[in-house]
Amino acid sequence: MDFGSLINNLFWLFLVFAFLSPYFQRQALEAARTRQILSLERKRGSRVITLIHRQEAINLLGIPVARYNDVDDSEEVLRAIRLTDPGMPIDLVLHTPGGLVLAAEQIALALLKHPAKVTVFVPHYAMSGGTLIALAADEIIMDENAVLGPVDPQIGEYPAASLLALVQSKPLDKIEDATLIRADMAAKAIKQVAELAEKLLAKHMDPERAATTARLLSQGTWTHDYPITVEEARGLGLPASTSMPREVYALMSLYPQTQIRRPSVQYIPLPYTKGGQE
């Protein structure tokens, strides 16, 4: 084989590697996640479902060449619940900034109907629709620094509660028709979310407290990104604790953030003790 043929063969081998490398990276990551999920299921005797909203990059030689959003959407979560025996507990690992109320409502109601214990794990945050889903759980296990958030609906780019406050503070003839329509939608959205939250909360608190907590969470008491800590969640009557299994953290480490640029946070990824590294 002459030198030119060798270079040509190496070139085609490189192209094949470039095309197949993202696929093999994805398969390896999926296999690692499956092993970690099975480990947690064996430990807890449960069905583990992940709902993790995080975009990732598959890299070739450190350069992002493909991106995918590995998210269990509401359809897949509902299917996983249907495939679970009524007597088997469900553990949902939840990491999400929120999303469509419809999707969150479907998941929350399906979890509410599941006869066995439902546990939601929040290793970092479950905001908005994520909190709505968490309200359906028998137990919410949070990292000590994890947060939930208000479930007040948003109408486009505006908080529903703020639209209602606007129409109540100005004469109607000074408000555009489009704004009045949004305010009407806002009133309906708040009522619908409050009723759903109350229904979910009634699972583990008396009706009066469920109604009060539902109003606090749904009617614009705080800004939409207000962080509800585990202590505040307990104060609201939610069944929150901090007994997070190490397997959940290990699972989350398999959902890395996209790193197109140089990472701004760096550390030695090992547990440290007072006596030194483990």
Side-chain angles (χ1 to χ4, degrees):
M1 180 182 295
D2 60 31
F3 182 74
S5 296
L6 177 62
I7 294 299
N8 186 60
N9 289 339
L10 289 175
F11 173 75
W12 285 109
L13 284 173
F14 175 80
L15 285 183
V16 171
F17 173 77
F19 280 110
L20 292 180
S21 180
Y23 170 79
F24 288 123
Q25 288 183 50
R26 169 87 183 254
Q27 292 301 111
L29 189 59
E30 292 290 351
R33 290 172 180 171
T34 298
R35 289 193 298 270
Q36 199 61 53
I37 287 172
L38 288 171
S39 175
L40 184 58
E41 287 182 338
R42 285 193 295 267
K43 179 178 180 177
R44 291 181 53 83
S46 65
R47 157 86 76 180
V48 172
I49 305 170
T50 65
L51 183 57
I52 297 172
H53 290 171
R54 178 175 282 176
Q55 193 174 56
E56 298 156 330
I58 295 298
N59 295 316
L60 171 63
L61 303 178
I63 302 172
V65 295
R67 305 181 77 176
Y68 65 93
N69 199 17
D70 189 22
V71 175
D72 294 334
D73 60 17
S74 60
E75 182 178 351
E76 285 301 310
V77 174
L78 295 178
R79 181 172 182 269
I81 295 171
R82 287 196 304 272
L83 291 173
T84 305
D85 186 272
M88 175 170 281
I90 287 178
D91 291 337
L92 177 64
V93 181
L94 192 57
H95 176 80
T96 177
L100 291 175
V101 173
L102 174 60
E105 180 175 355
Q106 286 183 296
I107 295 170
L109 291 175
L111 292 174
L112 185 68
K113 294 174 185 174
H114 188 69
K117 183 178 180 180
V118 173
T119 304
V120 166
F121 295 97
V122 183
H124 187 44
Y125 61 79
M127 307 296 286
S128 189
T131 297
L132 202 59
I133 293 169
L135 297 183
D138 297 289
E139 184 178 15
I140 305 170
I141 298 180
M142 303 169 62
D143 178 83
E144 291 183 357
N145 298 301
V147 295
L148 303 175
V151 300
D152 57 307
Q154 310 294 293
I155 306 299
E157 60 183 307
Y158 302 112
S162 297
L163 286 168
L164 291 184
L166 171 66
V167 299
Q168 292 168 3
S169 64
K170 294 179 67 175
L172 291 181
D173 59 353
K174 300 293 185 182
I175 303 174
E176 295 181 354
D177 290 348
T179 302
L180 290 173
I181 292 171
R182 291 192 188 99
D184 179 64
M185 293 173 59
K188 293 172 182 175
I190 289 175
K191 182 176 182 295
Q192 289 166 195
V193 171
E195 289 175 351
L196 173 60
E198 184 176 346
K199 180 177 182 178
L200 299 173
L201 289 166
K203 183 178 185 178
H204 42 68
M205 61 178 68
D206 64 77
E208 184 177 350
R209 187 166 192 185
T212 300
T213 303
R215 284 195 299 271
L216 282 172
L217 291 172
S218 65
Q219 298 191 5
T221 306
W222 308 282
T223 59
H224 194 59
D225 61 352
Y226 177 78
I228 298 175
T229 64
V230 64
E231 293 83 9
E232 192 163 3
R234 289 171 180 154
L236 291 170
L238 302 183
S241 73
T242 56
S243 53
M244 183 73 70
R246 297 186 66 173
E247 288 83 357
V248 173
Y249 295 120
L251 180 59
M252 282 300 300
S253 71
L254 298 174
Y255 290 83
Q257 294 277 20
T258 302
Q259 294 185 353
I260 297 178
R261 300 174 299 175
R262 181 181 63 81
S264 57
V265 178
Q266 291 183 281
Y267 60 95
I268 306 301
L270 295 171
Y272 279 27
T273 62
K274 188 175 181 180
Q277 297 95 322
E278 292 184 359

